[in-house]
Amino acid sequence: MSSISVGVLGATGLVGQSFILLLSSHPFFRLTTLGASPASAGLAYSKAVENKWKQSTCIPSSVQAIKLHECKPEHFSSCQIVFSGLDADVAGDIESAFRATNIAVFSNAKNHRRDPSVPLLVPLVNPHHLSILPHQQSLHTPPLQKGFIVTNANCSTTALVVPLSALQSRFGPIDQVIVTTMQAISGAGYPGVSAIDILDNVVPYISGEEEKMEWETLKILGGISADGKSFDNHSSHPIKVSASCNRVPVHTGHIMTASVKFSKRPPPSIDEVLKAFDEYVPPYLPQSHPSFASSDFSKIIPTAPPKAIHIHTTPNRPQPLLDRHLDKGASVSVGRVRECGVLDVKFVVLGNNVAIGAATSSVINAEIALARGYI
């Protein structure tokens, strides 16, 4: 596949750094342009982040000398794609400006997630929602030929909806979900939660997080209209989601406990649920696409994990420290699958919040969009 020029907005932040690591060695996305605040414009990337680099590996040599630009479309004219790691307080207008200049935007920010024409994409769950992009482009005057915005979901929602999608696709509608999260401090960005607040402590509140989980789940697991112009937000079988979100003193990896009630009566057995998790295949490519061998998948969607859900059978797994880096953080882990005394089934979910919960999702989304002809 020929190389495609891409850029990163908010390149000096934590999410931007994750994009840098993923894209610097990508087989066909060629990282050429980096954007940051006006204060960093003109600096070489290595100089701008010399006191801010928070990754466990060194700054890639291919990126160190790239000069930073302000996040303005004119500086990214050579890019077909930009990945946005911008903070929500500035992301909305900037991302819209890039879309208007016919650049495809894959965003980690929350600003456009509620937009009725913007896909809220978890690549392991709902890539078919990309089919709304022609409608999104048609809403502009004149209609856009190449520009669009795709957002990824909240990091905790992303981990939750993968096993829920496996259950829904096998057993039909889900009625109720009760989820309690224990979310890592890296999810708060940098500098994030102060040490005096989180050490030896659990903070039982994360602003806006519970609401995001409760409505994002409906948009992601719902369908899209036959005319490709709207999301149904699961209106035909509304899912009641109750989320309780907590910040815990773990660096990376959001872990959560979930209980689920099915519409199906009697509900599936635990063995059936385990089989559904184990056999879940993410719908990366359209149904009309011919089958590919696993080696072909790795060429077309190289960042995607070979398996979406890893099942842990030992009673004390998954754990963030032990399991967050499976498949480079691109998959989710599920364990302690058992009957629920109140609903039907309960289990533990672990997702890497800085990988599949952030930059990794955006990169896979872009790979899928390319494979489906939207880029």
Side-chain angles (χ1 to χ4, degrees), residues 57-350:
T57 57
C58 296
I59 303 170
S61 58
S62 61
V63 178
Q64 292 180 13
I66 296 180
K67 294 290 178 65
L68 289 165
H69 297 279
E70 291 188 54
C71 296
K72 295 181 178 180
E74 57 262 34
H75 300 307
F76 291 75
S77 58
S78 65
C79 297
Q80 292 177 258
I81 299 170
V82 296
F83 296 94
S84 174
L86 292 167
D87 290 337
D89 56 350
V90 298
D93 290 342
I94 292 174
E95 292 171 359
S96 294
F98 274 80
R99 172 176 60 184
T101 58
N102 271 311
I103 295 175
V105 180
F106 292 85
S107 173
N108 186 69
K110 67 180 181 181
N111 303 66
H112 295 281
R113 290 174 183 169
R114 286 187 179 268
D115 188 317
S117 68
V118 172
L120 180 59
L121 218 63
V122 175
L124 308 182
V125 173
N126 64 327
H128 59 286
H129 282 189
L130 287 169
S131 63
I132 205 170
L133 291 180
H135 173 62
Q136 183 188 139
Q137 293 170 321
S138 74
L139 297 175
H140 294 259
T141 304
L144 298 172
Q145 299 300 311
K146 299 178 181 179
F148 56 77
I149 295 174
V150 171
T151 67
N152 54 334
N154 171 270
C155 47
S156 50
T157 307
T158 296
L160 175 66
V161 296
V162 178
L164 293 186
S165 179
L167 297 177
Q168 177 177 271
S169 62
R170 180 66 62 93
F171 306 116
I174 292 170
D175 275 351
Q176 299 174 31
V177 179
I178 299 174
V179 58
T180 299
T181 71
M182 292 153 276
Q183 295 179 222
I185 56 175
S186 55
Y190 183 81
V193 186
S194 70
I196 201 168
D197 288 329
I198 197 62
L199 287 176
D200 191 32
N201 198 21
V202 172
V203 181
Y205 173 71
I206 305 173
S207 178
E209 199 81 358
E210 293 168 356
E211 180 201 16
K212 290 176 193 173
M213 292 194 74
E214 290 171 0
W215 77 261
E216 286 185 358
T217 299
L218 299 180
K219 184 173 182 179
I220 295 163
L221 292 180
I224 192 166
S225 63
D227 61 6
K229 294 183 179 181
S230 62
F231 302 103
D232 67 24
N233 295 318
H234 228 286
S235 57
S236 60
H237 293 93
I239 306 173
K240 295 180 181 178
V241 181
S242 177
S244 300
C245 296
N246 308 272
R247 188 74 71 192
V248 298
V250 169
H251 184 277
T252 300
H254 289 353
I255 196 164
M256 59 200 76
T257 58
S259 293
V260 174
K261 181 180 179 181
F262 300 93
S263 295
K264 175 182 170 68
R265 290 283 165 253
S269 68
I270 298 304
D271 285 344
E272 290 173 321
V273 168
L274 285 166
K275 186 176 182 181
F277 288 152
D278 186 55
E279 295 179 352
Y280 179 65
V281 177
Y284 292 133
L285 295 171
Q287 295 296 320
S288 59
H289 203 289
S291 298
F292 283 93
S294 59
S295 60
D296 293 319
F297 273 114
S298 68
K299 295 175 183 176
I300 297 168
I301 313 173
T303 310
K307 190 173 180 65
I309 300 174
H310 291 275
I311 301 173
H312 298 265
T313 56
T314 53
N316 62 345
R317 302 281 286 275
Q319 297 179 23
L321 184 63
L322 301 177
D323 303 309
R324 61 192 171 203
H325 295 306
L326 283 172
D327 296 323
K328 299 180 180 179
S331 56
V332 302
S333 289
V334 171
R336 300 207 65 211
V337 182
R338 61 213 192 276
E339 290 184 2
C340 176
V342 177
L343 303 184
D344 292 328
V345 63
K346 55 185 177 180
F347 47 88
V348 176
V349 186
L350 170 68

